Amino acid sequence: MAVRVDLNISLDGFATTTDATPDNSFGLDWGRLVEAYTATRTFRERVLHESSGEGTTGVDDKYAAAYFEGIGAEIMGAGMFGLHNYPDDPDWRGWWGDEPPFHVPVFVLTHKPRPAITVADTTFTFIDASPDAALGRAVEAARGKDVRIGGGPTTARDFLKAGLVDQLHVGITPILLGRGIRLWDELRGLENDYTVTSETAESGTIHVTYRR
Amino acid sequence: MAVRVDLNISLDGFATTTDATPDNSFGLDWGRLVEAYTATRTFRERVLHESSGEGTTGVDDKYAAAYFEGIGAEIMGAGMFGLHNYPDDPDWRGWWGDEPPFHVPVFVLTHKPRPAITVADTTFTFIDASPDAALGRAVEAARGKDVRIGGGPTTARDFLKAGLVDQLHVGITPILLGRGIRLWDELRGLENDYTVTSETAESGTIHVTYRR
């Protein structure tokens, strides 16, 4: 059982973008940040549910496929689920659509818990818990498989700072966003607890893995 | 003629370290930041003046060697020369020793110009000038060869922001320093003016090049 984090960040360390508008809820920057990931065959099959056999199959796809392997439960922050968008609407089911790509129990961290909901084969459970306690719940639900800390970056950083993460993989897109939430804040010396490897993809994306 | 910047930065984007002490003027972090670079055969020969034939000869050395190729003049900030250490001592000759590794005219940017000095085959000229004006001086001195903006990161960033840099190479050491001066601040969208390539070395260092 391992606790894993996978994130896409910019060369200047930002894991979120800031140019979303009412008309474009992701913004242009987000598309650029995850361009290499969303071009992979794995993303097209697993997230977009295409069966065209299209998409890249190189280094980026290797990491994309690994992202989905062996995960038994996921923890995410309220923002990643989408709770902040309609905080007062008890019927809001997040922005992951009718077929969420998780397929495992998901624990959503929030200071305002609400009843669990099930969408297709994914059950979202809303809990107000410390990283340690949330991980306990997720480990139990994962039944021996890995637990992913899905994000956002603030949630991932909380688990990294608490020393709870066994493997951190970042796909670094070599663009400069200049603003957003930085993944690396307050993590000075993190590498001391890990073995670090790096690899570049055909797309220019740099894959860095911290492994305990 | 190209204007070039080469810097070592940490994974979280810091180009300076913060743990220097009177007893260790570079600090421990600096050694970790430039470990792969200082291990190269090129560094040992060109900077340490060793002739042992030792040192790494892989990807890191390729970039280290390129660093010294075709440079005809260099521009650096006052801090990189060492002016800030003894600002009121007119006899202070900087911290580059009796055999500075530049071997070309060096222009030191300072708001308090002083007479030029020559150390071995390197002449340091102190000028109070805008990036544009300083570059004009350096281009003239370089006689058709490239001009390097040596650093520190604030000086390099000033030239990048002014659109004066043709090639930026960073060697990214996959460690997290957590504090210092960030290279990437205020450079949002820089990649739009460049072609970006990335390559990883045996050491784990990630080499990213922005080339116009």
Side-chain angles (χ1 to χ4, degrees):
Chain A
M1 200 292 293
V3 179
R4 293 154 46 184
V5 171
D6 275 84
L7 288 172
N8 291 293
I9 62 175
S10 64
L11 189 55
D12 48 351
F14 294 105
T16 63
T17 54
T18 56
D19 64 340
T21 63
D23 289 339
N24 186 341
S25 62
F26 281 102
L28 295 175
D29 282 345
W30 184 256
R32 299 173 63 225
L33 184 64
V34 301
E35 185 176 4
Y37 171 59
T38 56
T40 62
R41 180 177 297 186
T42 294
F43 179 85
R44 286 171 164 235
E45 290 181 356
R46 298 288 300 247
V47 182
L48 300 185
H49 309 293
E50 292 180 5
S51 54
S52 61
E54 291 184 2
T56 66
T57 57
V59 172
D60 289 324
D61 193 55
K62 179 179 77 174
Y63 284 95
Y67 179 87
F68 288 99
E69 291 300 320
I71 294 291
E74 172 142 349
I75 296 169
M76 65 178 62
M80 182 171 166
F81 175 80
L83 271 187
H84 299 327
N85 297 68
Y86 303 96
D88 300 323
D89 178 356
D91 295 326
W92 166 240
R93 294 162 72 83
W95 57 22
W96 291 97
D98 295 333
E99 208 171 339
F102 307 106
H103 311 295
V104 296
V106 173
F107 296 88
V108 180
L109 299 172
T110 172
H111 295 301
K112 296 179 180 171
R114 53 175 69 193
I117 60 171
T118 298
V119 185
D121 63 353
T122 298
T123 296
F124 295 94
T125 304
F126 302 88
I127 60 175
D128 185 0
S130 67
D132 242 325
L135 185 56
R137 292 283 299 271
V139 166
E140 191 179 0
R143 298 167 178 263
K145 288 190 166 183
D146 292 351
V147 172
R148 178 165 53 224
I149 314 302
T154 307
T155 300
R157 203 188 312 124
D158 285 344
F159 282 79
L160 287 163
K161 281 162 62 181
L164 297 174
V165 176
D166 299 305
Q167 182 181 309
L168 166 67
H169 160 253
V170 290
I172 304 174
T173 305
I175 63 174
L176 300 175
L177 292 175
R179 49 187 188 245
I181 298 176
R182 296 182 199 275
L183 173 61
W184 300 128
D185 278 358
E186 301 176 59
L187 292 176
R188 174 179 165 79
L190 183 73
E191 68 278 3
N192 294 328
D193 298 325
Y194 296 86
T195 300
V196 185
T197 55
S198 45
E199 181 177 15
T200 45
E202 301 79 357
S203 63
T205 301
I206 303 148
H207 295 274
V208 177
T209 305
Y210 278 40
R211 196 175 278 110
R212 192 125 69 177
Chain B
M1 200 292 294
V3 179
R4 292 155 47 184
V5 171
D6 275 84
L7 288 173
N8 291 294
I9 62 175
S10 64
L11 188 54
D12 48 351
F14 294 104
T16 63
T17 54
T18 55
D19 64 341
T21 63
D23 289 341
N24 185 343
S25 62
F26 281 103
L28 295 175
D29 283 344
W30 185 256
R32 299 173 62 224
L33 184 63
V34 299
E35 186 176 3
Y37 171 58
T38 55
T40 61
R41 180 177 296 186
T42 295
F43 179 84
R44 286 171 164 235
E45 290 180 357
R46 298 288 299 247
V47 183
L48 300 185
H49 309 292
E50 292 180 4
S51 55
S52 61
E54 291 185 3
T56 65
T57 57
V59 172
D60 290 323
D61 193 54
K62 179 180 76 174
Y63 285 94
Y67 180 87
F68 289 99
E69 291 299 319
I71 295 291
E74 172 143 348
I75 296 170
M76 65 176 62
M80 181 171 165
F81 175 80
L83 271 189
H84 298 328
N85 296 68
Y86 302 97
D88 300 322
D89 178 357
D91 295 327
W92 166 240
R93 293 162 73 84
W95 58 21
W96 292 97
D98 295 333
E99 208 171 340
F102 307 106
H103 312 294
V104 296
V106 174
F107 296 88
V108 180
L109 298 172
T110 173
H111 295 302
K112 296 179 182 172
R114 54 174 69 193
I117 60 171
T118 297
V119 184
D121 64 353
T122 299
T123 295
F124 296 93
T125 304
F126 302 88
I127 59 174
D128 185 0
S130 69
D132 243 325
L135 185 57
R137 292 283 300 271
V139 166
E140 192 179 359
R143 299 169 177 264
K145 288 190 166 184
D146 291 351
V147 173
R148 179 165 51 223
I149 315 302
T154 307
T155 299
R157 203 187 312 125
D158 285 345
F159 281 78
L160 287 163
K161 281 161 62 180
L164 298 173
V165 176
D166 299 305
Q167 182 181 308
L168 166 67
H169 160 253
V170 290
I172 304 175
T173 305
I175 62 174
L176 300 175
L177 292 175
R179 49 186 188 246
I181 298 176
R182 296 181 199 274
L183 174 60
W184 300 127
D185 279 358
E186 300 176 61
L187 292 176
R188 174 180 167 78
L190 182 72
E191 68 277 3
N192 295 328
D193 298 324
Y194 296 86
T195 300
V196 185
T197 55
S198 44
E199 181 177 15
T200 45
E202 301 80 356
S203 62
T205 301
I206 303 149
H207 295 274
V208 177
T209 304
Y210 278 42
R211 195 176 278 110
R212 192 125 68 176

